Amino acid sequence: MTLSATRPPAVAPDGDEPHGIPDRRKARRTPRRVSRVLIGLALAVFAVIFAYPFVWLISASFKPRGQVFDNRLIPETFTWENYVRVWQEAPLALWLLNTLVVTVLAAVAVTISSAMVAWGFAYFRFRGRNALFGLVLATMMLPGAVTMIPTFLIWNSLGLVGTLVPMWAQNLFASAFYVFLLRQFMLGLPRDLFDAARVDGATQWGVFWRIALPLSRPAIAVTLVFEVQAVWTDLMRALIYLRDASTFTIPRGLKSLVDAFGFGGEWHWEIIVTASVIATIPMIIIFFLGQRQIIQGISAGGLKG
């Protein structure tokens, strides 16, 4: 019984590819190109939708009072007066300084405290670890309104209501969400590296501070940026704890401007939109500077988790 050899595909005399293969490749590439074009168009449409409110806000900040709501992206009457007047009508520089202080303290506090808790759950092996970690995650299901009054009573008993301390000191006790994020990242770190450091005489704190924390830089960056955004735009706690205009943060200050110049006030909306632009610019700068770290941290955490 003879075996018939497999016949090679037909090849053109000049050594070109077999007949029909280029046509099949073109047929496969055409749907891919169409899908890419459709995805690009969809992304462009969504980009315009999400960017339009901010573009409108910037445009309105350069308009006089009577043209703020004319819906023109290019102002008919261009003026810089709003950016001069807003600093005169409100202590905007002081509000920015208060917000900067609160944001830095809150972001650093929650990042370090959450990293310490996450390191404990990721590195140490002890009885009931998973149950305790599940209990920590369960706190994420509690609405903020449930703990709002008890937390206020604690700060009021300490005599700190009306100061900036309650705006950031709560972050000294970590955040369940950031603990989960950092723990998932730290679980992917090489444990042999930490054991080798312990053999060389490093303390538990030294292993965490000098090895684990630097290796977790992408996740740390994500935590910092997320918390900076959350604190910078936090209006609820500012309404609860801040009483005097000298302690206002940017969200609380904007609320006072809306009360004074917006609804029920003098109807100077050009002042409000201008202050909103000034308050938004720092967040845009931070996200532009940290976008690479954010992408790396989220992708690495997803792969290692």
Side-chain angles (χ1 to χ4, degrees), residues 17-126:
E17 293 181 342
H19 297 293
I21 292 181
D23 295 335
R24 290 197 296 269
R25 289 181 177 176
K26 290 181 181 179
R28 289 196 299 266
R29 291 175 182 174
T30 300
R32 293 179 182 176
R33 292 176 180 176
V34 173
S35 63
R36 289 178 181 177
V37 172
L38 293 177
I39 292 174
L41 290 175
L43 291 175
V45 171
F46 281 109
V48 171
I49 293 174
F50 284 107
Y52 176 80
F54 184 66
V55 175
W56 180 92
L57 190 71
I58 296 177
S59 175
S61 67
F62 292 104
K63 298 177 182 179
R65 177 181 180 182
Q67 300 178 12
V68 172
F69 295 104
D70 60 5
N71 287 328
R72 295 187 180 185
L73 295 182
I74 300 178
E76 183 178 1
T77 304
F78 190 91
T79 178
W80 288 93
E81 182 182 355
N82 298 333
Y83 283 90
V84 176
R85 187 181 172 190
V86 68
W87 300 95
Q88 300 172 349
E89 296 291 343
L92 201 59
L94 180 60
W95 295 346
L96 286 170
L97 179 61
N98 292 338
T99 308
L100 179 63
V101 171
V102 170
T103 300
V104 171
L105 292 176
V108 172
V110 79
T111 300
I112 295 178
S113 59
S114 298
M116 293 172 63
V117 177
W119 172 249
F121 283 117
Y123 179 74
F124 295 102
R125 302 288 188 266
F126 54 90

Side-chain angles (χ1 to χ4, degrees), residues 205-269:
W205 176 257
V207 172
F208 166 73
W209 189 258
R210 296 180 182 179
I211 301 178
L213 213 57
L215 290 177
S216 304
R217 189 178 303 169
I220 295 294
V222 172
T223 302
L224 281 171
V225 174
F226 280 8
E227 187 62 19
V228 165
Q229 187 274 336
V231 177
W232 191 272
T233 59
D234 185 10
L235 175 61
M236 182 61 67
R237 282 193 291 185
L239 288 172
I240 295 173
Y241 295 108
L242 303 182
R243 299 287 185 267
D244 188 76
S246 61
T247 61
F248 282 178
T249 57
I250 280 294
R252 183 66 181 87
L254 291 178
K255 176 63 170 59
S256 66
L257 288 180
V258 172
D259 295 337
F261 298 102
F263 297 107
E266 301 177 8
W267 297 94
H268 288 283
W269 287 100

